[in-house]
Amino acid sequence: MKLPQLAISNRLFVLTSIVLLIFIGYKSYKSMPRSEDPFLELPKYSIVVVYPGASPEDMEELIVDPIEELVDELDDIEEIKTEITNGLAVIKIDAEFGIDYDEKYDDIVTEIGKIRTDLPPGIIELEINQYKPEDRNVVHQYALVSKDVEFRILYDLAEDFEKQLEKSNVVKKVEIEASPKEEIRISLDFQKMAQLDISLKQVVGVLQSSNANIPGGSLKSGKLTFNIKTSGSFESLDEIRDIAITAKDNQIVYLKNIATVNYDYEDSRWIARYNGQKAIYLSVYQKKGGNILKLSEEIGKKADTFKKSLPKSIKLETPFEQATAVKSRINDFLSNLLQGVFLVGLVVLVFLGWRPASIVVTVIPLSILIAIVLLDFTGYALHQISISSLVIALGLLVDNAIVVVENIIRFKKEGYTISEAAAKGTSEVGYAIISSTITTVLAFAPLALLESGPGAFLRSLPLTVIFVLMGSLLLALVFTPILAQKLIKNKKESKPPVVSKALDGFIENRYSKILTFALRRGWAVLLVGVIILIGSIMLFPKIGVSFFPTADKPMILLNIEQPYSSNINHTDNTLRYIESVLDTTDYVKSYTTNAGHGNPQVYYNRIPEEYKTYHGEVLVNFKDWEQEKFYRTLNAFRKVFSNNPNGKISFRELQNGAPFEAPIEILLIGEDLKTLKKISNDIENIIAKTKGVIDVENPLARAKTDIKVDVNRDKAAIYNVPLLDIDQTVRASLNGLTIDKVKISKEDEDYPVVVRIPFKDRPTINDFSKVSVPNANGDNILLNQLASINFDQDYAKINHYNTDRNTAITANVLNPEATRTVTEQIITELEAYNWPSGYTYHVGGEYESQSESFGDLGTLLLVALILIFAVLVLQFRSIRQPLIIFSAIPLAISGSFIALFITGWSFSFFAFVGLISLVGIVVNNSIILVDYTNQLIKEGHSKIEAITTASKRRFTPIVLTTLTTIVGLLPLTVSGTSLWSPLGWTLIGGMISSTLLTLLIVPLLYKWLTKTKRKL
């Protein structure tokens, strides 16, 4: 290999390149975006339709079915899930990974636009959303809090603060939430209207025509052109009150004669409080690629200034901010990285001395800088995944430098000058370290191609490791020999380190004898290895399987689900009870209460619930993260709230990974709701009886009581009243009908105009007697003459799965690591259930995500093995020798399973990632051993002599590279984080077992499988 000689002869160029790398790397590090977790780009979309007053069946027929039909016809749509409740439909769409996400969003918008005019006119909101982290994840949440200040004042202040925040270059947008919208309410007196023969349709028509602001065109006069203004905007509410509706007996009937017109707030749809006081939120969103630490600093200064301008009755609070956690997390990982660097340097120092250690340690920051530059160039940020990946790669990146330095020292000991030793030592192992680096890269590379939510979450991990390894390989071949020339003495070497001498003694006195025994009694040694492998596999059921762990954050989301007929005030009363408990809990730092809506999205995979009167959510912040205290408090809450008579209270910890509905989710699919309800009751009992299951939720088990307007069709026909007019009148009268938007010039703001009958609070049954309906002759007929009012139980919630009706039974588990085991027990019961014809089930939740992800990882593991084997066949021009090298893999798996069993960690998604990574790592030692044995045979040594010599000479670098990999991982592994510790122990256990057995079994298999007279 000529590259080391070229580098030595062009050392000035190499050193100049290193200085330039340091400068560029530092600049990249300072400018790189920082966040707690990766920004997940997922092909997820949602369509939210709000149609107040509509029953789930009406929502399904009039809105959901036509929308789903269009979406289902689009290409690349993988899954459609719809939840339909009173006046609300949420259609969640999952497309296939790898498509153009923005283009698919445009397709959905275009298709919905085609039928928008065919949908009911009473829809007050139709939103089509694309899952973009910068649009969804709140990085900073403020709350304007007051006991008694009006919302109008709070909203005006919020708008002022919003404008100040949006001036920052790092802020994408600021949303004001949980503030009731102000509207112009026209409360019609239906009795007066009946006396004057004025119909609702007539009033609505006049109001809409009066608000039509049609440009009058232009008029030319001489050299000038004048624009003609017509009616224009309203100046005040008095102008609206003075709108002429009709004329009776030569007298004009104005709107003020039959209605009261004033400003009012919309009916409460989202009630928010902070620590028990009325609040509205300002949610701050970060620009993609922004630095959250910089954002926090900038908006923090603006918040301090804004606070000083507030009256004493109003406070600006911070229910949530992400920057502190990001800074702490990054500092922890950087600390792990520095600890790892120190430990790696210490190991090399102890074994090789301070001069070789200086060479190896110098390579570490340079390799990391190369990775940082490439990460920055490819658009990735510094977060827990990328920084932890640097820690994982730490022990690997020094392997090449150690092998090169150790070989240079060996040639130096044999009498070569340092220049000759540097060139010859690097060249001799050059192809071996290139091959071993490629095999490691090939183990990590398929992980970067994982097309799924978990794949998007961890994509920066394999890329970071690959960037580090390629950088370390380049430095080992071109920079390490140059440093060796300068730092390793040219004269006779001084005494080697004590540990190095001891290791040499162990090799000669102990390892040589053990190796000789292994070569003579090969079947016995192989049998021991097989027994260890079988034993470790038998441990696997006791290890258990899990998916993504909890996020270990000092906060929790507390959900309340009331009976479906509950109004928002009843839900709020239950939340006030919860607040009273939180107020007396010392460990609670603060809490944010939300009735009718979920808390703004403060974690990347927790999407809040949309408007539901029966739903409430509390974001609880604890004072710090103490695992024991956290779970003790959580269990205490469960006991206190377990017997709440007003609804179900459940708890959701924040969890890493891609989003899913619930840990356990069983979809029951079928057409008839009555049959589905019966089945759902049976399945609910099955799930509830399963050990370890909590918070079982069955939507069809909770009935909803509605008021049904039962129209007498015969009477309607006699009075000549169309059924459509009855439906529209009932809706407009009791729920209010938004007929237009009005711009008041003095206010410079658009207000929705809402028409309905007058009532102080919510309408009551008695209000139906005030409603009248016009017939075809213009006469007003009282509604109670045409219809009877009855109570009727109905289904509160209808779900669709890929356009089919279904219901979803969800549940949590006491032990998150047992989710798969518990789900499999439930599946066993489901298989034994007597399903009616046409009805079936689908398992969703964590089980589905885990099965898909583990299946993908299994495929990637197979791909990695094939690629590595192909590279080895090309390198060694043999089938047998790659098989010898591959013997390290089952030996490594044994150690991984044993390590997980001893430490008590389950086989999680990241443990699986560690196992795939291990495949590329553990074969490196075998490659170096087999390659050097081949060289010795080529030089004329006998097979046994070559095996023995190669094993003894490569013992030190193999042990040393294993030790550096292990100690580099130790700080991250022993930190006890549920995300990284399983991965770390998987690698450490596999490295230990693989190294111990590789030094015996690989020489043995080489003896058995390599022909003595073949030309290598």
Side-chain angles (χ1 to χ4, degrees):
M1 172 170 280
K2 297 180 179 180
L3 188 57
Q5 291 94 324
L6 288 172
I8 291 172
S9 60
N10 294 276
R11 74 180 64 165
L12 181 61
F13 172 77
V14 173
L15 294 175
T16 304
S17 301
I18 295 298
V19 173
L20 185 61
L21 167 65
I22 294 172
F23 174 75
I24 296 174
Y26 178 75
K27 292 275 289 183
S28 294
Y29 173 76
K30 295 295 288 184
S31 64
M32 280 184 76
R34 285 160 171 78
S35 60
E36 184 172 8
D37 295 289
F39 269 45
L40 289 183
E41 293 285 356
L42 302 175
K44 290 181 176 290
Y45 312 89
S46 67
I47 303 172
V48 180
V49 186
V50 180
Y51 184 28
S55 68
E57 289 86 350
D58 290 339
M59 293 290 295
E60 180 184 40
E61 180 183 350
L62 300 175
I63 296 171
V64 172
D65 287 344
I67 290 178
E68 282 187 341
E69 184 179 346
L70 280 177
V71 173
D72 192 42
E73 291 174 356
L74 293 174
D75 295 331
D76 306 316
I77 298 298
E78 198 169 69
E79 185 177 83
I80 304 173
K81 281 186 177 180
T82 304
E83 184 178 300
I84 312 166
T85 57
N86 269 340
L88 175 70
V90 180
I91 303 170
K92 298 176 182 178
I93 304 163
D94 286 1
E96 294 180 1
F97 280 85
I99 64 172
D100 187 322
Y101 302 163
D102 294 331
E103 184 179 323
K104 185 56 59 181
Y105 172 74
D106 293 338
D107 290 344
I108 295 172
V109 171
T110 301
E111 291 301 312
I112 300 303
K114 292 178 181 178
I115 64 165
R116 181 63 180 91
T117 55
D118 298 330
L119 298 177
I123 292 174
I124 65 170
E125 185 176 320
L126 195 159
E127 285 186 355
I128 304 173
N129 302 309
Q130 180 180 1
Y131 186 94
K132 286 189 174 182
E134 65 269 28
D135 291 336
R136 303 285 307 201
N137 191 13
V138 178
V139 297
H140 209 108
Q141 181 184 347
Y142 288 108
L144 275 171
V145 182
S146 177
K147 282 186 177 180
D148 47 20
V149 173
E150 288 187 15
F151 278 112
R152 184 186 182 92
I153 297 173
L154 291 177
Y155 187 82
D156 289 342
L157 289 169
E159 282 192 314
D160 292 340
F161 190 36
E162 175 190 22
K163 292 174 184 176
Q164 294 177 35
L165 292 175
E166 289 184 337
K167 290 178 182 178
S168 172
N169 293 328
V170 290
V171 173
K172 177 181 175 62
K173 65 176 179 178
V174 178
E175 286 189 355
I176 300 174
E177 299 180 286
S179 175
K181 295 178 182 178
E182 204 166 10
E183 63 188 23
I184 296 173
R185 182 171 298 173
I186 300 175
S187 300
L188 296 171
D189 187 332
F190 272 67
Q191 292 177 340
K192 282 188 178 180
M193 289 170 59
Q195 293 171 6
L196 297 171
D197 287 331
I198 298 173
S199 68
L200 172 66
K201 186 183 294 184
Q202 185 178 355
V203 174
V204 170
V206 171
L207 289 173
Q208 288 176 334
S209 63
S210 299
N211 191 44
N213 189 358
I214 302 172
S218 61
L219 176 66
K220 291 182 180 180
S221 179
K223 297 180 179 180
L224 302 177
T225 299
F226 298 93
N227 289 328
I228 301 173
K229 292 185 177 180
T230 54
S231 55
S233 303
F234 292 105
E235 292 292 330
S236 65
L237 288 187
D238 286 334
E239 286 195 21
I240 300 176
R241 295 185 182 109
D242 290 334
I243 292 175
I245 301 298
T246 187
K248 289 287 184 181
D249 300 325
N250 295 321
Q251 287 187 344
I252 298 175
V253 178
Y254 297 100
L255 180 62
K256 61 186 178 184
N257 300 136
I258 59 171
T260 57
V261 181
N262 51 29
Y263 291 113
D264 209 334
Y265 294 108
E266 67 177 353
D267 293 336
S268 295
R269 296 199 296 152
W270 184 352
I271 300 173
R273 284 188 297 278
Y274 175 76
N275 285 350
Q277 292 191 350
K278 179 171 65 175
I280 64 173
Y281 304 136
L282 289 100
S283 300
V284 183
Y285 297 81
Q286 176 185 328
K287 284 183 178 179
K288 185 178 181 181
N291 187 330
I292 191 173
L293 302 182
K294 182 181 177 183
L295 178 146
S296 179
E297 183 181 353
E298 284 192 19
I299 66 175
K301 293 177 182 178
K302 294 179 184 293
D304 292 338
T305 303
F306 180 70
K307 284 179 182 178
K308 295 175 183 178
S309 66
L310 292 174
K312 292 183 179 180
S313 57
I314 301 174
K315 293 181 180 179
L316 181 68
E317 302 286 358
T318 307
F320 171 81
E321 58 92 17
Q322 198 179 118
T324 301
V326 172
K327 187 175 182 180
S328 174
R329 188 68 63 94
I330 289 177
N331 288 341
D332 288 345
F333 286 128
L334 288 175
S335 175
N336 290 335
L337 184 61
L338 292 175
Q339 292 171 24
V341 171
F342 172 76
L343 291 173
V344 168
L346 184 63
V347 169
V348 180
L349 174 67
V350 168
F351 278 88
L352 299 180
W354 76 268
R355 295 177 186 274
S358 300
I359 298 171
V360 172
V361 171
T362 303
V363 170
I364 295 174
L366 295 177
S367 299
I368 290 174
L369 283 176
I370 291 174
I372 286 175
V373 171
L374 293 173
L375 280 173
D376 189 27
F377 178 75
T378 51
Y380 287 90
L382 285 178
H383 43 64
Q384 67 163 327
I385 303 296
S386 57
I387 297 177
S388 299
S389 304
L390 292 174
V391 181
I392 293 169
L394 177 62
L396 302 176
L397 71 88
V398 297
D399 287 358
N400 292 332
I402 288 173
V403 171
V404 169
V405 170
E406 195 276 337
N407 213 41
I408 291 172
I409 292 173
R410 184 175 66 82
F411 275 102
K412 178 71 175 57
K413 289 178 180 179
E414 292 178 1
Y416 290 88
T417 66
I418 186 58
S419 295
E420 293 171 335
K424 190 172 180 64
T426 307
S427 299
E428 184 182 70
V429 296
Y431 287 113
I433 64 174
I434 289 174
S435 178
S436 62
T437 301
I438 290 174
T439 56
T440 308
V441 166
L442 289 176
F444 282 93
L447 291 172
L449 304 176
L450 184 60
E451 293 286 3
S452 64
F457 182 75
L458 67 82
R459 185 154 294 129
S460 57
L461 186 153
L463 292 177
T464 302
V465 175
I466 289 170
F467 293 156
V468 169
L469 290 178
M470 298 309 293
S472 71
L473 175 63
L474 182 63
L475 292 170
L477 294 176
V478 302
F479 187 56
T480 302
I482 295 175
L483 280 179
Q485 278 188 300
K486 294 294 182 182
L487 293 178
I488 297 177
K489 291 183 177 180
N490 216 346
K491 59 182 183 179
K492 289 275 186 178
E493 186 61 65
S494 57
K495 290 183 179 180
V498 175
V499 175
S500 181
K501 286 183 65 177
L503 187 61
D504 290 341
F506 176 82
I507 293 170
E508 292 298 328
N509 301 324
R510 293 279 187 265
Y511 175 63
S512 293
K513 294 179 181 178
I514 296 172
L515 179 61
T516 301
F517 173 81
L519 293 175
R520 290 177 179 173
R521 301 285 188 271
W523 290 110
V525 174
L526 190 63
L527 181 62
V528 171
V530 172
I531 291 173
I532 293 174
L533 176 63
I534 295 174
S536 65
I537 293 174
M538 292 175 67
L539 286 176
F540 190 76
K542 296 184 178 179
I543 294 171
V545 178
S546 62
F547 196 35
F548 277 94
T550 55
D552 296 344
K553 297 178 75 67
M555 62 175 61
I556 194 168
L557 287 168
L558 190 153
N559 293 297
I560 171 72
E561 295 288 330
Q562 301 278 98
Y564 284 127
S565 297
S566 300
N567 60 49
I568 193 169
N569 294 325
H570 181 59
T571 303
D572 192 42
N573 288 334
T574 304
L575 288 169
R576 289 186 181 278
Y577 161 66
I578 293 171
E579 289 175 339
S580 67
V581 176
L582 298 177
D583 285 334
T584 58
T585 306
D586 184 59
Y587 186 41
V588 173
K589 178 183 177 183
S590 65
Y591 57 86
T592 310
T593 307
N594 303 270
H597 198 282
N599 194 79
Q601 185 172 345
V602 296
Y603 200 61
Y604 68 96
N605 62 9
R606 289 291 297 138
I607 300 172
E609 292 281 359
E610 298 291 341
Y611 297 100
K612 296 176 181 176
T613 58
Y614 56 84
H615 175 80
E617 188 169 270
V618 184
L619 173 67
V620 182
N621 288 294
F622 297 106
K623 293 180 178 178
D624 50 29
W625 171 252
E626 289 186 34
Q627 185 172 353
E628 184 178 342
K629 185 185 289 187
F630 177 86
Y631 285 106
R632 186 169 65 245
T633 305
L634 183 57
N635 290 331
F637 284 164
R638 282 199 172 107
K639 288 180 181 178
V640 171
F641 298 133
S642 61
N643 296 319
N644 176 50
N646 294 320
K648 291 186 177 180
I649 300 175
S650 60
F651 304 85
R652 286 294 297 272
E653 294 181 62
L654 300 180
Q655 191 166 5
N656 289 295
F660 48 79
E661 294 295 330
I664 296 176
E665 182 188 31
I666 307 298
L667 302 172
L668 309 178
I669 303 169
E671 188 60 30
D672 182 62
L673 289 175
K674 289 183 180 179
T675 307
L676 275 178
K677 182 176 181 178
K678 179 184 180 305
I679 296 172
S680 71
N681 291 335
D682 295 339
I683 304 305
E684 180 187 6
N685 292 331
I686 290 173
I687 295 174
K689 290 177 182 177
T690 306
K691 188 176 180 181
V693 172
I694 57 174
D695 304 330
V696 182
E697 174 64 23
N698 177 12
L700 291 184
R702 292 191 285 153
K704 172 177 68 74
T705 302
D706 287 335
I707 294 174
K708 185 178 181 182
V709 179
D710 196 357
V711 178
N712 187 317
R713 294 174 181 266
D714 293 336
K715 283 187 176 182
I718 293 171
Y719 284 105
N720 201 12
V721 179
L723 294 178
L724 181 60
D725 285 357
I726 296 176
D727 291 341
Q728 288 178 341
T729 302
V730 170
R731 175 176 178 74
S733 303
L734 299 177
N735 284 285
L737 177 64
T738 302
I739 61 170
D740 213 337
K741 283 192 174 182
V742 167
K743 189 176 188 67
I744 304 296
S745 299
K746 293 180 180 179
E747 302 287 340
D748 193 27
E749 189 170 343
D750 286 334
Y751 292 93
V753 178
V754 179
V755 173
R756 70 180 187 186
I757 64 175
F759 44 78
K760 292 181 180 179
D761 299 311
R762 299 293 297 171
T764 65
I765 297 176
N766 294 330
D767 289 313
F768 279 99
S769 62
K770 303 174 185 178
V771 178
S772 60
V773 185
N775 64 7
N777 302 323
D779 300 324
N780 283 293
I781 313 298
L782 288 174
L783 179 63
N784 55 21
Q785 294 182 13
L786 303 172
S788 59
I789 310 302
N790 302 305
F791 289 102
D792 184 37
Q793 278 205 339
D794 208 343
Y795 297 103
K797 192 175 182 181
I798 300 174
N799 287 2
H800 283 193
Y801 176 72
N802 288 341
T803 72
D804 292 327
R805 271 184 175 179
N806 81 292
T807 187
I809 301 178
T810 59
N812 292 327
V813 289
L814 278 171
N815 178 13
E817 294 186 354
T819 301
R820 186 174 185 87
T821 303
V822 170
T823 307
E824 287 174 344
Q825 294 174 12
I826 294 170
I827 292 173
T828 302
E829 296 290 334
L830 294 177
E831 289 294 324
Y833 184 76
N834 185 21
W835 293 90
S837 177
Y839 293 81
T840 185
Y841 72 91
H842 174 81
V843 181
E846 183 178 318
Y847 185 87
E848 180 183 38
S849 298
Q850 185 185 125
S851 299
E852 290 176 355
S853 299
F854 277 35
D856 291 341
L857 288 178
T859 302
L860 294 180
L861 176 60
L862 181 61
V863 170
L865 290 171
I866 293 172
L867 291 174
I868 292 171
F869 192 83
V871 169
L872 294 177
V873 169
L874 290 174
Q875 180 186 353
F876 293 103
R877 302 180 184 279
S878 163
I879 295 295
R880 293 182 179 182
Q881 291 202 335
L883 290 175
I884 297 171
I885 293 169
F886 263 44
S887 66
I889 295 173
L891 304 178
I893 293 174
S894 299
S896 294
F897 288 173
I898 292 171
L900 290 174
F901 177 76
I902 292 173
T903 56
W905 294 103
S906 61
F907 188 73
S908 65
F909 178 85
F910 267 69
F912 203 151
V913 170
L915 193 66
I916 295 175
S917 309
L918 195 63
V919 167
I921 296 171
V922 298
V923 297
N924 292 345
N925 291 334
S926 300
I927 291 171
I928 292 171
L929 186 57
V930 170
D931 179 75
Y932 190 54
T933 306
N934 289 344
Q935 290 184 40
L936 292 176
I937 290 179
K938 191 174 181 180
E939 292 172 3
H941 293 76
S942 67
K943 184 197 290 187
I944 297 299
E945 183 183 3
I947 291 172
T948 304
T949 303
S951 299
K952 290 163 66 176
R953 287 183 179 177
R954 289 291 174 258
F955 185 93
T956 297
I958 287 174
V959 170
L960 196 52
T961 54
T962 300
L963 274 177
T964 54
T965 303
I966 290 172
V967 299
L969 282 166
L970 271 178
L972 184 66
T973 304
V974 300
S975 64
T977 59
S978 50
L979 189 66
W980 296 107
S981 292
L983 184 148
W985 285 119
T986 298
L987 290 172
I988 289 173
M991 290 293 294
I992 292 173
S993 65
S994 172
T995 300
L996 292 176
L997 296 174
T998 294
L999 288 167
L1000 297 176
I1001 291 180
V1002 168
L1004 173 63
L1005 293 178
Y1006 191 99
K1007 174 189 173 184
W1008 286 352
L1009 298 179
T1010 303
K1011 296 179 180 178
T1012 50
K1013 294 184 180 181
R1014 67 184 292 273
K1015 183 178 180 181
L1016 294 170

